[in-house]
Amino acid sequence: GTPFEVLICDYRLAGGADGLDVALRLRQRFDPLLPLLLVTGETAPERLQRVRDSGVPVLFKPTPAEELLATLISLKRPS
């Protein structure tokens, strides 16, 4: 089964890893319909365009807790 209900990933990961790529690979490995949420403080226009083109929902840091919770609830699949 899927070890999580929603995957939250930062765009910039340790060692220069790309969080969008990592999240998409995890989705491919575990469940193609796994809800993803990208969180970022990224400001580079070309990177932001890539995120928008991916269709993955994104929140920008700093994100208020209420907004994060509401987004997670909206992404969670019905049980």
Side-chain angles (χ1 to χ4, degrees), residues 25-59:
R25 284 196 312 265
L26 286 169
R27 177 191 264 177
Q28 184 179 4
R29 177 177 178 186
F30 290 104
D31 180 352
L33 300 177
L34 179 67
L36 302 179
L37 174 61
L38 200 63
V39 180
T40 189
E42 184 61 61
T43 59
E46 64 278 359
R47 291 185 183 135
L48 293 177
Q49 186 61 52
R50 183 171 171 265
V51 170
R52 282 190 289 276
D53 291 346
S54 75
V56 173
V58 63
L59 293 177

